[in-house]
Amino acid sequence: KENFDSIPDLEFNPIRGKIVHAFFDKRNLRQESDGLADEINFEDFLTIMSYFRPIEMNMDEEQLDRFRKEKLKFLFHMYDSDHDGKITLQEYRNVVEELLSGNPHLEKESARSIADGAMMEAASICVGQMGPDQVYEGITFEDFLKMWQGIDIETKMHVRFLNVDTIAHCY
């Protein structure tokens, strides 16, 4: 994990801890077990980086759907920090507070209100109209899929590793 401290682009990322944590989350390493790995090998590193690869133009509808679900599962695991299969209000508050921590003009209470409003929106999308005695336990992966429906995660969640000039230079 300490090797990630030398990655310059992660240094100022407000959710740096969650990103590094995701690299060692055994759920993302496609292992059946739960918890965190102490270290990852090159194959594990490539497994994690595969979540950030761009879509391929020759993918059929089924491949695109599987590709999308893999990316969303990775994101879901970043939010579901206690590994219980649900993103609770407190887990979501923690992520929003981390994301907004770099803004000196936004107080913690404002970040909490933003998270609470987003969780209410999630409940209305996933459950619909709730009764006064109903409590929304948290976002399941199926709920997470509903919330991301119509959002182009395939092209937003990718990393371009090389800045290669596509014009060949002849000397």
Side-chain angles (χ1 to χ4, degrees):
K1 292 179 186 171
E2 44 288 340
N3 296 114
F4 282 83
D5 291 334
S6 62
I7 300 174
D9 287 349
L10 278 179
E11 186 177 348
F12 299 107
N13 192 312
I15 60 167
R16 177 186 179 284
K18 290 215 174 292
I19 293 169
V20 172
H21 183 89
F23 270 81
F24 295 88
D25 187 332
K26 289 180 181 178
R27 299 173 297 174
N28 293 334
L29 296 172
R30 297 189 176 120
Q31 298 177 6
E32 295 302 315
S33 59
D34 202 18
L36 295 176
D38 293 327
E39 59 184 30
I40 58 173
N41 59 29
F42 186 65
E43 185 178 329
D44 293 335
F45 180 78
L46 292 178
T47 297
I48 297 298
M49 294 310 295
S50 72
Y51 295 112
F52 297 95
R53 71 186 188 275
I55 60 173
E56 297 171 23
M57 293 303 155
N58 61 347
M59 288 182 161
D60 63 27
E61 204 59 42
E62 184 179 316
Q63 289 170 318
L64 278 172
D65 186 54
R66 187 174 58 249
F67 187 70
R68 175 182 178 74
K69 283 182 180 170
E70 285 177 3
K71 286 180 179 273
L72 289 172
K73 188 66 118 172
F74 179 86
L75 282 177
F76 183 81
H77 291 159
M78 282 182 61
Y79 288 97
D80 179 24
S81 58
D82 66 1
H83 302 218
D84 69 349
K86 280 189 226 150
I87 301 168
T88 63
L89 176 57
Q90 190 56 50
E91 287 171 322
Y92 194 68
R93 282 177 178 165
N94 292 342
V95 171
V96 171
E97 286 173 7
E98 285 179 42
L99 281 170
L100 301 177
S101 65
N103 186 338
H105 305 292
L106 195 65
E107 295 178 18
K108 193 172 188 170
E109 197 55 44
S110 297
R112 177 174 278 223
S113 295
I114 291 168
D116 292 358
M119 189 58 87
M120 285 176 53
E121 180 71 19
S124 70
I125 291 170
C126 301
V127 180
Q129 187 65 34
M130 292 179 20
D133 59 337
Q134 278 185 294
V135 175
Y136 187 56
E137 297 289 327
I139 301 168
T140 64
F141 183 63
E142 290 73 29
D143 292 344
F144 200 70
L145 289 175
K146 285 181 197 174
M147 292 167 49
W148 281 87
Q149 195 169 13
I151 299 172
D152 188 14
I153 191 68
E154 298 85 0
T155 58
K156 293 184 186 330
M157 188 177 149
H158 74 274
V159 175
R160 184 173 177 168
F161 294 96
L162 299 174
N163 191 5
V164 179
D165 190 358
T166 55
I167 301 172
H169 296 288
C170 299
Y171 296 97

